[in-house]
Amino acid sequence: MPKLLVGVVIMILLLAGGPLYMWGFGGIDTRGDWRSADRSSMGLAPDPGQTHQAVVQVYSARAFNWRGIFAVHSWVATKPQGAAHYTVHQVTGWGHPALSSRIGGPDRAWFGSQPTVHTTLCGRAAERAIEHIETLLPDYPHRDRYRAWPGPNSNTFVAWLIREVPELDVALPSSAIGKDYLGEGMFAPTPSGTGVQFSLGGVLGAAVGLREGVELNLAGLVLGIDPAALGIKLPGIGTLGLLTYGQPQGECSAVAGASD
């Protein structure tokens, strides 16, 4: 019994410790007003006025208000070749339908939270991805539904899109609650396509993948190991690792635009 009690206490501390840390030290404004929250550009997207080639980017930022203690909000931005603007594809709780595709700044702060770029595609790879995305958007199975927990939400949509678009070789952060929501299904490839996952309604599950590492989902909160970063994944926080990795977040180069 003492060992069982110790195990339960350790598990509670692991699940609750990350969100408590984010609450106290994560710089998240839990009393913010969305009407006055920062929505300015963070300068993370190639300038469409100077970038003729096609661009696709995947972003996430801390969710607004208290939700940011636990999770991030994610979205996808596309700019076809020669276009003068970006289109932002995302799911929100106030939209009708929940899924929207609107012209706008791809790298705007998410109501006070600075976004992170998880991947940038340029040139022909971006053109192919945009063709797939535009074809797939009408088929998103939850376009009229939104549920913050355990899904379907913004992260459910982006994870689904990443699975369906071969060019989007990217793993969402473990704090993207809802990415593991599979609807009526129980098994699927991981969003990056480099592994497999099991999920019971996004509430309980596990995943193993080259990009995702090892993840255990308990009530939407993820514990895991991230070998690529030599780190661990903690609820609320995401990955704490010794290494950083990812694709460059600057302008698309002429070389990138000419390559696959």
Side-chain angles (χ1 to χ4, degrees):
M1 182 62 69
K3 291 183 178 180
L4 177 60
L5 181 60
V6 170
V8 171
V9 170
I10 291 175
M11 183 60 67
I12 292 175
L13 289 175
L14 286 173
L15 292 175
L20 287 174
Y21 173 85
M22 294 303 298
W23 184 23
F25 305 101
I28 296 170
D29 185 1
T30 59
R31 299 181 180 180
D33 186 336
W34 64 269
R35 291 168 294 188
S36 58
D38 183 16
R39 290 286 282 148
S40 60
S41 171
M42 297 290 106
L44 300 176
D47 183 348
Q50 301 179 4
T51 306
H52 179 75
Q53 60 195 298
V55 181
V56 176
Q57 293 185 301
V58 177
Y59 288 88
S60 75
R62 282 286 158 180
F64 179 63
N65 210 300
W66 62 268
R67 292 182 178 87
I69 295 171
F70 298 93
V72 299
H73 166 82
S74 59
W75 65 94
V76 176
T78 59
K79 186 193 79 68
Q81 180 176 333
H85 55 73
Y86 284 86
T87 298
V88 177
H89 312 278
Q90 64 183 338
V91 165
T92 61
W94 60 81
H96 301 285
L99 173 60
S100 66
S101 297
R102 296 190 176 97
I103 294 173
D107 55 357
R108 297 172 67 191
W110 183 251
F111 298 99
S113 296
Q114 180 169 338
T116 296
V117 182
H118 298 292
T119 193
T120 299
L121 299 179
C122 304
R124 288 197 290 268
E127 291 173 21
R128 293 194 297 267
I130 291 172
E131 290 179 3
H132 286 128
I133 290 169
E134 292 179 347
T135 300
L136 288 164
L137 286 174
D139 297 328
Y140 177 56
H142 312 296
R143 59 184 297 110
D144 295 315
R145 293 184 59 204
Y146 176 87
R147 185 169 56 183
W149 179 90
N153 57 24
S154 64
N155 301 317
T156 308
F157 163 66
V158 175
W160 175 84
L161 202 60
I162 291 172
R163 288 189 187 95
E164 299 294 326
V165 178
E167 294 78 15
L168 291 178
D169 180 18
V170 59
L172 288 176
S174 59
S175 51
I177 292 178
K179 69 181 179 64
D180 299 320
Y181 180 84
L182 302 178
E184 297 180 356
M186 295 175 59
F187 295 92
T190 56
S192 71
T194 63
V196 295
Q197 72 175 111
F198 161 77
S199 179
L200 291 175
V203 176
L204 181 67
V208 179
L210 294 177
R211 295 293 298 274
E212 287 83 4
V214 179
E215 296 184 352
L216 176 64
N217 175 359
L218 299 172
L221 301 175
V222 172
L223 291 165
I225 300 173
D226 190 341
L230 294 182
I232 59 174
K233 300 182 178 187
L234 296 175
I237 296 176
T239 295
L240 289 177
L242 297 177
L243 302 177
T244 59
Y245 59 93
Q247 299 188 16
Q249 299 179 9
E251 294 292 326
C252 294
S253 66
V255 174
S259 68
D260 289 339

